[in-house]
Amino acid sequence: RVQVVESGGGLVQAGGSLRLACTASGLTFKDYLMGWFRQPPGKEREGVACISWTGYSQYYKDSVQGRFTISRDNAENTLYLQMDNLKPEDTAMYYCAARKNRTYPGDVRCFDDMNYLGKGIQVTISS
């Protein structure tokens, strides 16, 4: 059974940093394109960042470009999201996702057709 489990969320002041992690089991991690999504209160879920199966290519939502860094460790089956200079508008439930079709499009389509989604973890930024 495939599981993707997020960790590392919490409450932090604006301007601070958090590092989210996602561990995957039940799948061959290197065969999957991986991504982070978030759902702010009262809004729809949106793609935040995605990363190719090699880890060499990344795509970011405009509003997090330059502040967030997605990375992966294929040997440890783990995905990361380093979030710096956090803003109150980053407050959301954050989700890890995996896509079997690991073809990396290099644009917003990398958020499409995810096969697995974690249960999410709360990130709250206070002003």
Side-chain angles (χ1 to χ4, degrees):
R1 171 168 156 249
V2 174
Q3 283 190 300
V4 287
V5 180
E6 304 89 348
S7 62
L11 172 65
V12 67
Q13 287 189 328
S17 297
L18 278 175
R19 189 191 198 202
L20 303 184
C22 167
T23 56
S25 60
L27 52 75
T28 303
F29 188 71
K30 66 177 178 61
D31 287 346
Y32 285 74
L33 178 149
M34 299 295 295
W36 288 99
F37 290 73
R38 69 184 182 187
Q39 187 165 14
K43 296 184 179 180
E44 293 188 353
R45 191 163 59 223
E46 60 185 11
V48 175
C50 68
I51 189 167
S52 63
W53 70 273
T54 62
Y56 293 152
S57 299
Q58 307 89 33
Y59 177 82
Y60 296 94
K61 175 181 172 61
D62 285 349
S63 62
V64 307
Q65 179 78 47
R67 299 188 297 119
F68 289 13
T69 304
I70 188 171
S71 61
R72 64 190 294 164
D73 184 337
N74 286 348
E76 296 293 330
N77 288 5
T78 303
L79 177 73
Y80 299 99
L81 186 67
Q82 177 67 40
M83 305 185 292
D84 298 318
N85 190 21
L86 284 159
K87 303 177 181 182
E89 52 264 40
D90 295 318
T91 293
M93 187 73 79
Y94 282 72
Y95 300 87
C96 172
R99 189 174 83 187
K100 177 63 174 174
N101 179 359
R102 67 181 191 183
T103 301
Y104 177 74
D107 57 30
V108 68
R109 292 173 297 170
C110 74
F111 297 125
D112 295 343
D113 303 324
M114 290 294 179
N115 299 103
Y116 303 104
L117 190 71
K119 293 183 178 180
I121 193 161
Q122 181 66 38
V123 170
T124 303
I125 313 304
S126 63
S127 56

